[in-house]
C-alpha cells in the first residue's frame, strides 16, 4: 500500500512540529529556572488536596468525624514536600510518609497519600537502586497501619494493590533512567567519533605543513650560496609554517584524550577551507534548497583547521535545513570578520523552516548527532556555537563565532 501524500500529510506534521517546538523551549526554560515548574506543580497538587480536604475525603474515610484542621494539616504535609521532589526526593518522601501515617492511623484515608508516587518516581530516576529499598520502608508502615486497624479481615486487598502501583511507578522511573543513560552514551560516542574524525583531518594538515617545511629547507639550502635574500625568505616561511604546524599539533593533542588506534589509515584527501564555501553552497542549491549567501570578497587569514571548522559547520547546518526545514524553506548564510585582533569571525546560518531542534542539544541527543560535532569543532578553536529558534520565531539559526588572533599570534 502506498504512502498517502497531499495536504493531509502536511496538516498532520504541523501540530507535531509545534508541540516539539514548545517542548524544546519548555525544557530550556526549566533548565534555567527549575523552581518555576516545581512551584507550579506543587501549587496545583496542594490545591487539589485542599479541595478534597474541604469535604470530599469523607466519602472514603473510615472516620468521617475527624476535625477539619487535622485533615487540612495532613493534606498539606502530603502535598507541599513535592517542591523538593527533584532535589531531595528521599527527604520529600519521608515527610509525606509521616502525613500518610497520620491519614491511615486516624481513619481519614486521604487520597493525597497517592502523591507519594511522585517522589518514588524521582528516586528511581536519579538515585541508586538501594534508595528504592528505603522508599519501600517509608511507604509500607502507613499501608499496614491503615489495613490492620480498619481492614483487618481484608488487609491484603488494601496493601498489595498499593504496593503494585508504587512498583509500577518505580519501574517507569527505571525505564526512563535507562533511556536517558543510553542517550547520554550515544552523545559520548558521537563526540568521540567526531574527535577521531577531527584528529584525522588535523593529521593531514600537519603532514602538509611538514612537507612544506621540508621543501623550503631544501630550497633555502641551495639558494644560500647564490641568493642569500631568497634563503632568508625561505627561513621566514619555515618559521611561519612551523608555528602553524605547532598550533595545529597542540589542538590535535587536546582532541586525542584517549589512545587512538595507531594502525588506522588516515584519509589523505585535501581538506576543504573557506575557498570551498561557494562550491558547497552551490551543491546545496542543486539539491533544491534556496540559499542566499553573503560572503566576503576576500578570504580572511585563518588557520587551515579553523577554515575546516567553518566549512563543516556550514555543511552540517545546510544539511539539517535541507532535511528538516521542508521544501518551501530558504536559508541565508552570512560570513563576517574583522581585522586581526579587532573582531571575531562570525558565520550565521538561518532558515525559514519550523523552529524544531534538528540538532542535538546537552539534554536531547536523540534528535540528532550533528550539533555535537559542530560544538566539538567550535570548542577546538576556543569558539562558541549557538543553535536555536530565531528571535522572531518561525525559523532556526546556527551561529559560529571564532576568535581572531592578532597578527603576531597568527600561524599564517
Amino acid at each position: 500500500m502506498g504512502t498517502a501524500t497531499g495536504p493531509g500529510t502536511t496538516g498532520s506534521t504541523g501540530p507535531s512540529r509545534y508541540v516539539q517546538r514548545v517542548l524544546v523551549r519548555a525544557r530550556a526554560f526549566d533548565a534555567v529556572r527549575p523552581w518555576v515548574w516545581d512551584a507550579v506543580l506543587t501549587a496545583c497538587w496542594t490545591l487539589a488536596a485542599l479541595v478534597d480536604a474541604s469535604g470530599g475525603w469523607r466519602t472514603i474515610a473510615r472516620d468521617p468525624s475527624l476535625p477539619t484542621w487535622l485533615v487540612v494539616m495532613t493534606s498539606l504535609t502530603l502535598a507541599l514536600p513535592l517542591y523538593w521532589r527533584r532535589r531531595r526526593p528521599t527527604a520529600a518522601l519521608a515527610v509525606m510518609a509521616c502525613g500518610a501515617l497520620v491519614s491511615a492511623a486516624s481513619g481519614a484515608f486521604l487520597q493525597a497519600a497517592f502523591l507519594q508516587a511522585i517522589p518514588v518516581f524521582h528516586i528511581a530516576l536519579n538515585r541508586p537502586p538501594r534508595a528504592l529499598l528505603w522508599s519501600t520502608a517509608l511507604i509500607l508502615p502507613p499501608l499496614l497501619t491503615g489495613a490492620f486497624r480498619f481492614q483487618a479481615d481484608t488487609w491484603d486487598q488494601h496493601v498489595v494493590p498499593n504496593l503494585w502501583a508504587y512498583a509500577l511507578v518505580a519501574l517507569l522511573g527505571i525505564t526512563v533512567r535507562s533511556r536517558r543513560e543510553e542517550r547520554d552514551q550515544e552523545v559520548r560516542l558521537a563526540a568521540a567519533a567526531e574527535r577521531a574524525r577531527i584528529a584525522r583531518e588535523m593529521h593531514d594538515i600537519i603532514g602538509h605543513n611538514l612537507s612544506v617545511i621540508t621543501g623550503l629547507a631544501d630550497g633555502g639550502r641551495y639558494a644560500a650560496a647564490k641568493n642569500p635574500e631568497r634563503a632568508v625568505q625561505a627561513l621566514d616561511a619555515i618559521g611561519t609554517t612551523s608555528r602553524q604546524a605547532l598550533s595545529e599539533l597542540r589542538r590535535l593533542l587536546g582532541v586525542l584524550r584517549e589512545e587512538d588506534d595507531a594502525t588506522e589509515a588516515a584519509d589523505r584527501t585535501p581538506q576543504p577551507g573557506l575557498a570551498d564555501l561557494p562550491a558547497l553552497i552551490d551543491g546545496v542549491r542543486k539539491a533544491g534548497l534556496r540559499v542566499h549567501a553573503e560572503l566576503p570578497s576576500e578570504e580572511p587569514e585563518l588557520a587551515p583547521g579553523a577554515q575546516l571548522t567553518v566549512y563543516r559547520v556550514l555543511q552540517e547546518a545546510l544539511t539539517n535545513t535541507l532535511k528538516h526545514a521542508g521544501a518551501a524553506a530558504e536559508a541565508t548564510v552570512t560570513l563576517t570578520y574583522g581585522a586581526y585582533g579587532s573582531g571575531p569571525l562570525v558565520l550565521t546560518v538561518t532558515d525559514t523552516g519550523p523552529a524544531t531542534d534538528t540538532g542535538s542539544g546537552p539534554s536531547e541527543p536523540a534528535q540528532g548527532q550533528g550539533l555535537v560535532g559542530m560544538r566539538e569543532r567550535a570548542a577546538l578553536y576556543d569558539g562558541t556555537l549557538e543553535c536555536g529558534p530565531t528571535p522572531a520565531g518561525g525559523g532556526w539559526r546556527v551561529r559560529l563565532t571564532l576568535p581572531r588572533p592578532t597578527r603576531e599570534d597568527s600561524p599564517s
Side-chain angles (χ1 to χ4, degrees):
M1 183 178 295
T3 303
T5 58
T9 303
T10 304
S12 62
T13 58
S16 63
R17 288 182 175 178
Y18 175 77
V19 171
Q20 184 181 13
R21 179 176 61 186
V22 171
L23 290 177
V24 168
R25 292 181 176 177
R27 282 192 293 266
F29 180 84
D30 182 61
V32 178
R33 302 177 182 85
W35 61 269
V36 175
W37 172 239
D38 293 340
V40 170
L41 183 139
T42 303
C44 291
W45 283 115
T46 301
L47 179 62
L50 292 178
V51 169
D52 183 62
S54 65
W57 65 277
R58 291 188 174 89
T59 59
I60 61 173
R62 298 299 183 271
D63 185 2
S65 64
L66 292 174
T68 303
W69 67 266
L70 178 62
V71 176
V72 171
M73 294 301 296
T74 305
S75 299
L76 292 177
T77 305
L78 289 168
L80 291 180
L82 291 177
Y83 183 79
W84 294 276
R85 75 195 187 283
R86 291 196 285 188
R87 288 166 290 177
R88 301 178 181 272
T90 304
L93 180 61
V95 175
M96 297 173 72
C98 294
L101 183 61
V102 173
S103 173
S106 63
F109 280 73
L110 297 176
Q111 298 184 69
F114 288 105
L115 293 178
Q116 295 176 98
I118 298 178
V120 168
F121 171 82
H122 285 279
I123 290 173
L125 182 64
N126 300 310
R127 294 294 185 269
R130 64 177 179 272
L132 289 174
L133 298 177
W134 290 104
S135 301
T136 304
L138 292 172
I139 291 173
L140 196 56
L143 293 176
L144 294 176
T145 299
F148 283 102
R149 183 172 181 183
F150 297 99
Q151 297 175 323
D153 296 335
T154 58
W155 65 271
D156 56 325
Q157 297 181 11
H158 176 73
V159 175
V160 175
N162 282 278
L163 287 180
W164 271 113
Y166 289 122
L168 291 176
V169 171
L171 181 61
L172 176 61
I174 294 174
T175 303
V176 174
R177 179 177 186 164
S178 300
R179 293 292 300 274
R180 184 176 64 181
E181 291 175 352
E182 292 176 359
R183 182 185 64 193
D184 294 341
Q185 180 67 14
E186 290 177 0
V187 172
R188 288 191 292 268
L189 292 175
E194 188 63 23
R195 285 194 296 268
R197 179 183 178 184
I198 295 172
R200 291 192 295 269
E201 293 172 348
M202 292 299 180
H203 179 278
D204 292 343
I205 295 173
I206 295 172
H208 170 74
N209 289 333
L210 293 179
S211 299
V212 172
I213 290 173
T214 302
L216 290 172
D218 291 340
R221 183 181 61 182
Y222 291 118
K226 299 180 180 180
N227 192 341
E229 183 179 353
R230 293 291 300 274
V232 171
Q233 293 176 356
L235 292 175
D236 290 340
I238 289 174
T240 300
T241 307
S242 62
R243 284 193 297 271
Q244 178 179 346
L246 181 60
S247 176
E248 300 295 345
L249 181 59
R250 287 172 178 168
R251 294 189 175 95
L252 174 60
L253 294 177
V255 174
L256 297 179
R257 299 185 183 125
E258 299 179 358
E259 183 178 358
D260 196 6
D261 185 4
T263 61
E264 184 178 359
D267 185 6
R268 299 293 179 178
T269 305
Q271 300 301 330
L274 297 181
D276 300 290
L277 296 183
L280 172 63
I281 294 173
D282 289 339
V284 176
R285 285 171 176 162
K286 292 179 181 179
L289 178 66
R290 291 182 292 276
V291 182
H292 306 282
E294 297 178 13
L295 303 179
S297 57
E298 297 182 359
E299 295 179 13
E301 298 181 32
L302 205 63
Q307 293 190 38
L308 180 61
T309 297
V310 176
Y311 183 92
R312 295 302 187 199
V313 169
L314 177 60
Q315 184 182 49
E316 185 67 28
L318 291 180
T319 300
N320 283 343
T321 301
L322 190 64
K323 291 193 300 183
H324 300 284
E330 298 181 3
T332 301
V333 178
T334 59
L335 179 64
T336 60
Y337 65 95
Y340 273 84
S342 64
L345 181 143
V346 180
L347 172 70
T348 305
V349 184
T350 58
D351 63 59
T352 59
T356 55
D357 192 353
T358 59
S360 176
S363 60
E364 294 300 327
Q367 296 169 350
Q369 307 298 345
L371 295 186
V372 176
M374 288 199 280
R375 289 193 175 95
E376 287 284 337
R377 292 182 180 275
L380 189 64
Y381 286 89
D382 300 325
T384 59
L385 186 71
E386 302 173 9
C387 306
T390 59
W396 193 257
R397 181 179 67 182
V398 176
R399 174 175 291 174
L400 170 69
T401 303
L402 295 179
R404 298 273 291 163
T406 61
R407 187 170 296 276
E408 290 76 9
D409 297 335
S410 172
S412 57

